[in-house]
Amino acid sequence: MNTIGTGTIDRPLTRDPQKQDLTMNPTFTDTPVPVNTDAIESRQNRNHAMQLIPEALARAHMHERLQEAESERRAHRLAAARRMQRRAERASLRARRALAMAVMQ
């Protein structure tokens, strides 16, 4: 159902402000300006908090990366310790065999 008129607030008939119905566009003097310093302060705090979000995300990301790096270092140290332990056990077996061979002669 298409009616001829000025349209609605959401869908004006034209985008040209000069041709729109004045009742659809209230002037700024019609709406009272709220004088609420708490709202302004709250808005500023929210904006400040919003600006700190990327910094907090970066900090969390770096913390996670540091934990991953530390975990990887621990894994490398553990693997190296196991290799050295196996090498020491083989050396101990060789020494025992050599001692047994020396005693047997």
Side-chain angles (χ1 to χ4, degrees):
M1 192 157 109
N2 195 359
T3 59
I4 298 175
T6 58
T8 64
I9 293 174
D10 293 334
R11 296 187 183 275
L13 190 61
T14 178
R15 297 220 181 264
D16 186 9
Q18 300 293 333
K19 294 180 182 175
Q20 288 181 8
D21 187 8
L22 294 178
T23 59
M24 293 289 186
N25 294 324
T27 61
F28 289 111
T29 57
D30 292 346
T31 57
V33 177
V35 182
N36 190 352
T37 57
D38 291 338
I40 293 169
E41 187 177 329
S42 172
R43 213 173 300 124
Q44 287 173 347
N45 287 340
R46 184 179 64 227
N47 287 342
H48 184 66
M50 294 287 277
Q51 289 170 357
L52 294 179
I53 287 175
E55 186 179 331
L57 285 173
R59 194 176 293 118
H61 182 68
M62 286 304 297
H63 180 69
E64 186 177 330
R65 294 291 305 264
L66 286 171
Q67 283 183 334
E68 287 174 9
E70 182 60 33
S71 174
E72 198 170 319
R73 279 193 292 271
R74 270 188 258 127
H76 283 294
R77 281 196 301 262
L78 180 63
R82 285 182 178 161
R83 275 195 307 270
M84 288 190 289
Q85 182 180 7
R86 285 193 299 266
R87 188 179 298 165
E89 286 172 357
R90 285 194 302 266
S92 172
L93 284 175
R94 279 196 305 271
R96 258 195 220 158
R97 282 192 202 120
L99 182 63
M101 294 294 280
V103 170
M104 292 278 224
Q105 290 180 353

